[in-house]
Amino acid sequence: MVGQFSFGKLLKRRRRESSSPVERTPRKTPRNGIREASPSFFGESAAAERAAAALLRGRPSTGFKGKQQERQQAQGRLPGEVDDSEAAGDSNCERGREGRSRRREPPAEMPLEDEAMHVRWAEALAGRSVAELDAEELRRLLDAGGVPLKHRHALWPRWFTAPGGADVERLQGEVAEEAASQIEGDILRTRPQLLGPLERSALRRVLRAYAAANPAVGYCQGMNNIAAVFILLGFDEATALQGCYTLMQGCCPGYHDRDLAGFRLDAAVLEVFVQRLLPKEMLRRLDDLEVPLEVLISEHFLTLASHSWPLAATARLWDVILQEGSPAVFASVLALLKLYLPGENEENENCQKVSKGGKCEVNWADDEEEPINAFRARALQGVTSDFDIFIAEVRRLIPLMPQSEINQLRFEVAGRRKAAH
């Protein structure tokens, strides 16, 4: 499995911390080809150019990453393998196994930009500012291959729904000790191949400010990955905090509460769309995995693809999520299920086929999370190799789940749960 912690175990831990009873959602059935660009292509925004230059040149083998590589060589591990012992200090979830398990990091980062992208945007703008583009023009440009950083710095704050102007400095002194400790435990292992000391300091301050401003929520694992995207793309701390508010309270309301109430509610809403929009064969394959839907999609919902995806792929998905809101979140999960759910006839080193009552079924290895690993690995490979296929499916699905219907389903599911108690 890509990554250093289990979102399935995070769900279990959050549920234990919650005073509310555990509810289970009933199941109805048991091309990138991007050429690397020089920093000069990243435009006039100083912050965007600094972020681009750092990402293009990579991090030197010194400091934290250099020490990590030295430890790997001393332990006889290959570069890129992550030992669970390096992820010590996890305050929100338990380790899945005793001892070590070797895990590979995601594929190499996809370049954020190329010259063709800048030419495409320059021709479309034709001397106009991005503020003068209408929604349909923006959709075409977003889907054609991404956004230059200088335009992202102009567009994303326009799409933020949360108010800005938070005093990040003042909030540093108001964070609870427990939240501060949890944040500190996650800082070093958040995008270690990309975040340097200055970026880690900014990430720490943004997370502390968010936890201080939302004491009832505090800090939840997954927030670190979301905030890191804004930092890596060169947004200042106040804007990054505003972006976190927009995603975690607007697009994903209540997902990171102590009882994960919002996440569990929207997982039930997603179940309705899954049953309605996925073909029967896909539903049968989903059943064969024998994994609750909320566990299968937990990482994507809680981090919005910021945990294990290449930064460029995450940024392109967020272009759509920030423009479209919650419908794009649901559509992205449905697109992943439709495109990358493991099929019955596919070979996988983590499973074997057994005959049961004349029916060929998938028999996964002892680790209960192997089906999740297979799905996430296929999704990661798919979006890395050809993101355009994925985003085209997201766009196709968005009109099928409008915000008004999402709100209505949230109301109905919450009402049924309240009545049941």
Side-chain angles (χ1 to χ4, degrees):
M1 172 182 172
V2 174
Q4 298 142 343
F5 57 91
S6 162
F7 280 92
K9 292 182 176 63
L10 171 59
L11 287 174
K12 295 176 185 177
R13 184 175 181 85
R14 280 294 199 177
R15 281 175 167 176
R16 288 198 301 270
E17 293 173 349
S18 169
S19 58
S20 61
V22 175
E23 302 171 14
R24 296 189 182 277
T25 303
R27 297 292 301 275
K28 293 189 177 182
T29 56
R31 309 166 295 244
N32 292 322
I34 299 176
R35 291 192 295 118
E36 203 169 88
S38 66
S40 61
F41 281 123
F42 288 80
E44 300 169 357
S45 166
E49 188 161 341
R50 286 196 300 272
L55 290 169
L56 286 177
R57 67 172 177 265
R59 295 289 168 197
S61 297
T62 57
F64 171 75
K65 187 178 179 184
K67 293 177 181 177
Q68 183 185 49
Q69 291 172 340
E70 291 173 4
R71 286 197 301 269
Q72 289 173 341
Q73 293 172 0
Q75 295 167 0
R77 290 187 284 134
L78 297 174
E81 288 186 336
V82 179
D83 192 306
D84 280 355
S85 63
E86 293 171 359
D90 184 349
S91 55
N92 273 341
C93 67
E94 300 170 0
R95 291 181 57 185
R97 297 186 179 92
E98 292 296 325
R100 295 177 181 173
S101 65
R102 295 185 177 185
R103 298 168 177 167
R104 288 201 175 273
E105 291 183 345
E109 289 291 332
M110 299 160 50
L112 277 166
E113 304 187 347
D114 66 356
E115 183 177 2
M117 180 192 298
H118 284 267
V119 171
R120 182 169 57 251
W121 276 78
E123 291 176 349
L125 288 170
R128 296 176 295 171
S129 70
V130 291
E132 298 176 79
L133 295 173
D134 61 37
E136 189 54 40
E137 285 180 299
L138 275 173
R139 288 190 183 96
R140 287 197 299 269
L141 283 168
L142 295 181
D143 299 349
V147 186
L149 270 178
K150 67 174 182 178
H151 297 322
R152 219 172 240 134
H153 276 228
L155 287 170
W156 281 16
R158 285 179 54 204
W159 292 332
F160 289 168
T161 56
D167 190 339
V168 176
E169 184 62 40
R170 176 184 60 80
L171 291 168
Q172 298 307 301
E174 300 178 12
V175 63
E177 183 177 346
E178 179 186 11
S181 176
Q182 292 172 344
I183 290 167
E184 202 60 37
D186 278 347
I187 291 294
L188 281 180
R189 61 176 165 217
T190 304
R191 297 273 188 178
Q193 72 276 28
L194 292 179
L195 288 169
L198 291 178
E199 292 89 353
R200 286 197 294 271
S201 176
L203 176 62
R204 178 184 294 108
R205 288 168 54 81
V206 170
L207 292 173
R208 286 172 62 93
Y210 188 91
N214 300 273
V217 175
Y219 173 76
C220 175
Q221 214 163 35
M223 292 179 177
N224 54 318
N225 296 289
I226 291 174
V229 173
F230 293 110
I231 300 300
L232 284 169
L233 295 180
F235 289 95
D236 61 61
E237 294 174 2
T239 306
L241 181 59
Q242 185 184 10
C244 288
Y245 273 118
T246 295
L247 290 178
M248 293 189 277
Q249 296 183 9
C251 299
C252 306
Y255 284 20
H256 302 89
D257 288 359
R258 292 189 182 277
D259 59 358
L260 298 176
F263 163 76
R264 293 161 61 196
L265 177 63
D266 274 7
V269 171
L270 177 68
E271 182 84 36
V272 176
F273 287 123
V274 164
Q275 297 293 335
R276 181 187 301 172
L277 299 175
L278 290 186
K280 291 182 179 179
E281 171 61 20
M282 193 71 62
L283 295 177
R284 188 186 65 77
R285 285 163 56 184
L286 190 58
D287 268 345
D288 287 345
L289 295 184
E290 297 183 348
V291 175
L293 182 63
E294 70 172 27
V295 176
L296 189 67
I297 54 88
S298 59
E299 178 181 308
H300 190 81
F301 258 20
L302 291 171
T303 73
L304 296 178
S306 62
H307 175 237
S308 56
W309 283 21
L311 179 62
T314 303
R316 284 194 61 186
L317 176 59
W318 285 18
D319 291 335
V320 180
I321 289 176
L322 287 169
Q323 186 189 35
E324 305 289 350
S326 289
V329 177
F330 283 90
S332 66
V333 179
L334 231 52
L336 291 174
L337 292 173
K338 183 175 181 181
L339 294 173
Y340 308 120
L341 196 67
E344 181 181 65
N345 297 321
E346 296 178 38
E347 294 295 329
N348 190 294
E349 64 180 2
N350 296 319
C351 69
Q352 56 183 340
K353 303 295 175 58
V354 297
S355 179
K356 186 178 295 185
K359 177 184 177 183
C360 183
E361 295 185 355
V362 177
N363 183 32
W364 294 94
D366 292 338
D367 184 352
E368 65 179 3
E369 293 191 23
E370 293 298 357
I372 307 173
N373 298 350
F375 169 61
R376 291 175 182 169
R378 282 174 53 83
L380 177 61
Q381 180 62 37
V383 299
T384 302
S385 60
D386 198 334
F387 188 86
D388 291 340
I389 292 176
F390 165 72
I391 206 63
E393 183 63 18
V394 172
R395 284 293 189 191
R396 188 190 72 80
L397 289 166
I398 286 175
L400 303 180
M401 46 191 76
Q403 186 67 57
S404 58
E405 187 165 6
I406 291 172
N407 292 341
Q408 180 62 31
L409 286 171
R410 285 170 173 167
F411 177 78
E412 292 174 2
V413 171
R416 287 197 297 269
R417 290 182 171 180
K418 184 177 181 181
H421 293 290

